[in-house]
Amino acid sequence: MKWRITGRFLWSVVMIVIIVGIINTVLLVGLLLYQRSHLALSTPETSSEEFTRSFSQYVEIKNGLPIVNDEGVKALQDKNAWVQFLDSKGNQVAAYETPDNLATSYSPAEVVQMYKYKEVDSNTTVYISTMDDLDYFVGVKNYGVGRYVLNYDYNQFLKFINLLLIAFLIVDVLVALIIGLLFTRHLTKPLHILIDFIGQLRNRQFKKINVPNGVYKDVFLNVNELSIKLSEHEKERNRLDQMREEWISNVSHDMKTPLASIQGYAELMKDDVDNLTASEVQEFSTIIEKKSIYMKDLLDDLNLTTRLRNQQLPMHFEDINIVSFIRELTIELLNDPQFGERQVEFVSNVNKIVHKVDKKLLKRAILNFIYNALVHNDENVCVTIKIDTDYPQCGQVEDSQPTLYKTRIMITDNGRGISPEDIKQVFDRYYRGSNTKNTHGTGLGMAIARDIIFAHNGDLRLSSVLNEGTTITILL
């Protein structure tokens, strides 16, 4: 894996270098051709050539002899040049600004030599031109101007170019391999660390790695964040597994107890039916029915919490007056013989607040909260149900709950309160708090109530202080 990644990076670098080399070569050749065909007139050598060819404009023929006018003399002086006129036989007929050692007669071969090579001195380049029946030399004394004669064999030249290109490509490839190897080793080293680290995450080994500076800094930061999140999820999963095991144990115990009663009384009625009185049969049947209803309710709770959590429970919404609804619910609760002597107060500063809700589910949720306050506290506990309006200011509502809630239902008691450790988990499924050990329950009531409130697009808040009481706030 390591060499595969290194090879890919190395091949990418080599290809880039080769492509760049080819492009540079093409551009260089194109530039040379362009310079030769379009920019040649701007060179000093070509400028002197043009000066020589156009010098005849300064010359007049009088009595068969060339005369350079004043403008031509000045041009020669400005150019630091001289001019020598020759007749058809190569003899000098006139000269201006010429050096003392300049020859005055030339054979055809000497004319060619004079043009091709620097025959006067190393700083003077001679150009030749004609006018009428006369030839003339123009010598430009300028060390920055020169002419070079190149003699070459096309076959040898092409062979040399081919060898040069091959050598150039070989050197380029070798340089690219060396630089690419060094570069890719440096570039892929963090990837090897990341691969090893991801393998550790796969094996549930959660830890942090050092974050290097450079290209992969953000990747390492994100991987560290992922490790932290996975570690937290692993702890949460272990906690939920433990809670689930405890919950299964509790539910199994709660199921075994009524099943044992049902089985025992059923066997008693079966084996001794002739000796049982009508009142005893009635009593045993009532117990069996009661235990059966308890088991049915337990199974219904399991089904309800699963369907609520998976959003598969059909909701039957209707417009109701929340104030009247909860007032009637409170009266119904106080008419229950089990809670008829308990202190439950209903307070509302408004007479009517209409909401579209599922009456059956909302009643279940609110009763769950009230029952928890009554059952898990002493008999002298006071429970207050208060309804008012609440308009949170901008910024108080979380992004996940963008609705501006307008109805607040508060269920407050002055009981034992909930410990900070239990508050974090009180709405988790399967969880039973430390103050519920002496009461029967499945640990699903608070989770079901919370899911019902959320299904109504509501919000739920809980605050509690040990030995002072608990407040549950429902916002619709």
Side-chain angles (χ1 to χ4, degrees):
M1 176 63 74
K2 294 181 179 180
W3 281 109
R4 185 183 303 172
I5 296 175
T6 302
R8 288 180 180 177
F9 276 98
L10 182 59
W11 176 246
S12 300
V13 173
V14 171
M15 287 300 297
I16 291 173
V17 172
I18 292 176
I19 292 172
V20 171
I22 293 174
I23 292 175
N24 288 339
T25 303
V26 172
L27 290 176
L28 179 61
V29 172
L31 183 62
L32 291 175
L33 293 175
Y34 178 82
Q35 183 181 18
R36 179 175 180 181
S37 61
H38 294 85
L39 302 180
L41 294 177
S42 65
T43 61
E45 190 273 339
T46 305
S47 299
S48 299
E49 189 84 43
E50 286 296 323
F51 174 77
T52 301
R53 292 173 182 171
S54 61
F55 189 76
S56 59
Q57 63 182 325
Y58 305 118
V59 180
E60 296 179 6
I61 303 298
K62 294 182 179 180
N63 300 322
L65 297 177
I67 305 298
V68 178
N69 58 26
D70 295 339
E71 186 179 356
V73 173
K74 185 176 185 307
L76 289 173
Q77 294 173 350
D78 293 339
K79 194 74 174 177
N80 195 17
W82 49 263
V83 62
Q84 183 180 41
F85 294 93
L86 305 176
D87 58 17
S88 58
K89 296 181 179 180
N91 298 319
Q92 175 179 306
V93 294
Y96 293 84
E97 307 291 335
T98 54
D100 296 336
N101 59 343
L102 187 64
T104 58
S105 179
Y106 303 91
S107 66
E110 290 174 336
V111 171
V112 173
Q113 285 289 106
M114 178 69 80
Y115 178 74
K116 291 178 61 175
Y117 305 106
K118 294 186 176 182
E119 294 292 329
V120 179
D121 57 54
S122 60
N123 292 331
T124 301
T125 303
V126 178
Y127 301 91
I128 189 171
S129 187
T130 62
M131 61 172 293
D132 298 335
D133 294 331
L134 300 176
D135 299 323
Y136 61 89
F137 288 134
V138 173
V140 179
K141 190 172 184 179
N142 186 346
Y143 70 91
V145 176
R147 182 191 297 110
Y148 298 93
V149 179
L150 178 63
N151 297 309
Y152 58 88
D153 185 334
Y154 277 106
N155 294 329
Q156 291 295 329
F157 179 74
L158 292 177
K159 183 178 180 181
F160 171 77
I161 291 298
N162 290 333
L163 292 175
L164 185 64
L165 289 175
I166 293 173
F168 174 77
L169 290 175
I170 292 175
V171 171
D172 269 2
V173 170
L174 290 176
V175 171
L177 287 173
I178 295 173
I179 296 177
L181 181 62
L182 296 176
F183 176 73
T184 51
R185 287 186 61 184
H186 175 74
L187 194 63
T188 57
K189 184 177 179 180
L191 291 179
H192 302 154
I193 298 175
L194 285 174
I195 292 172
D196 294 338
F197 184 71
I198 292 172
Q200 294 175 6
L201 293 181
R202 181 186 59 192
N203 297 326
R204 300 184 182 279
Q205 299 177 9
F206 308 112
K207 62 180 183 178
K208 296 181 67 175
I209 53 177
N210 294 327
V211 179
N213 293 323
V215 179
Y216 298 105
K217 181 178 180 179
D218 291 339
V219 178
F220 276 78
L221 290 174
N222 290 330
V223 170
N224 274 338
E225 187 69 21
L226 174 63
S227 177
I228 294 173
K229 293 294 183 183
L230 289 177
S231 178
E232 293 174 352
H233 290 166
E234 182 72 10
K235 293 177 181 177
E236 181 67 14
R237 187 184 67 83
N238 292 334
R239 184 182 68 83
L240 290 176
D241 286 345
Q242 182 179 359
M243 288 173 54
R244 188 179 293 108
E245 292 296 330
E246 294 176 356
W247 177 82
I248 292 174
S249 177
N250 292 333
V251 171
S252 298
H253 179 269
D254 290 344
M255 294 283 283
K256 286 179 180 178
T257 300
L259 279 174
S261 298
I262 293 172
Q263 183 180 4
Y265 284 109
E267 290 177 353
L268 184 61
M269 293 173 65
K270 174 184 177 183
D271 296 339
D272 201 16
V273 64
D274 295 333
N275 298 325
L276 294 176
T277 64
S279 62
E280 287 176 331
V281 172
Q282 179 69 26
E283 179 185 355
F284 294 163
S285 300
T286 301
I287 293 175
I288 291 174
E289 181 184 18
K290 183 178 179 181
K291 298 300 181 180
S292 300
I293 292 174
Y294 172 80
M295 294 177 63
K296 177 181 178 297
D297 291 341
L298 177 59
L299 293 175
D300 287 343
D301 282 353
L302 289 173
N303 180 56
L304 179 60
T305 185
T306 301
R307 297 180 70 183
L308 280 171
R309 187 58 56 91
N310 295 323
Q311 298 181 351
Q312 295 179 348
L313 185 67
M315 306 284 287
H316 304 285
F317 291 101
E318 57 182 299
D319 291 329
I320 66 167
N321 181 359
I322 292 293
V323 178
S324 300
F325 173 71
I326 297 180
R327 181 185 291 113
E328 294 171 1
L329 184 150
T330 305
I331 295 172
E332 180 182 340
L333 177 70
L334 292 174
N335 287 332
D336 187 336
Q338 183 180 357
F339 303 108
E341 302 299 325
R342 306 298 287 272
Q343 301 182 54
V344 180
E345 299 179 358
F346 175 79
V347 179
S348 176
N349 60 1
V350 290
N351 294 322
K352 185 176 182 180
I353 304 177
V354 178
H355 279 281
K356 189 179 291 292
V357 300
D358 187 310
K359 290 178 61 175
K360 183 178 178 180
L361 290 178
L362 186 60
K363 179 179 179 179
R364 173 72 179 274
I366 295 176
L367 283 178
N368 275 0
F369 294 136
I370 299 174
Y371 284 154
N372 274 341
L374 294 173
V375 172
H376 300 307
N377 288 299
D378 299 331
E379 291 186 357
N380 60 350
V381 67
C382 178
V383 178
T384 302
I385 305 168
K386 182 181 179 181
I387 302 178
D388 61 9
T389 54
D390 178 50
Y391 297 91
Q393 297 178 357
C394 182
Q396 291 182 346
V397 180
E398 298 179 359
D399 293 338
S400 60
Q401 300 288 338
T403 305
L404 293 178
Y405 304 107
K406 62 180 182 180
T407 301
R408 177 169 56 190
I409 306 169
M410 300 178 65
I411 302 172
T412 304
D413 67 70
N414 59 351
R416 301 170 186 169
I418 305 174
S419 67
E421 294 77 13
D422 288 339
I423 286 180
K424 299 177 181 179
Q425 307 174 62
V426 71
F427 290 112
D428 291 343
R429 291 188 295 177
Y430 324 122
Y431 183 76
R432 298 185 67 189
S434 58
N435 63 348
T436 65
K437 294 181 179 179
N438 297 325
T439 59
H440 293 287
T442 63
L444 293 172
M446 294 293 279
I448 290 174
R450 178 200 57 185
D451 291 342
I452 290 174
I453 298 301
F454 286 172
H456 285 79
N457 292 323
D459 195 12
L460 192 63
R461 300 171 186 174
L462 182 146
S463 60
S464 184
V465 179
L466 280 176
N467 302 319
E468 292 186 14
T470 302
T471 299
I472 293 178
T473 303
I474 302 170
L475 296 172
L476 295 177

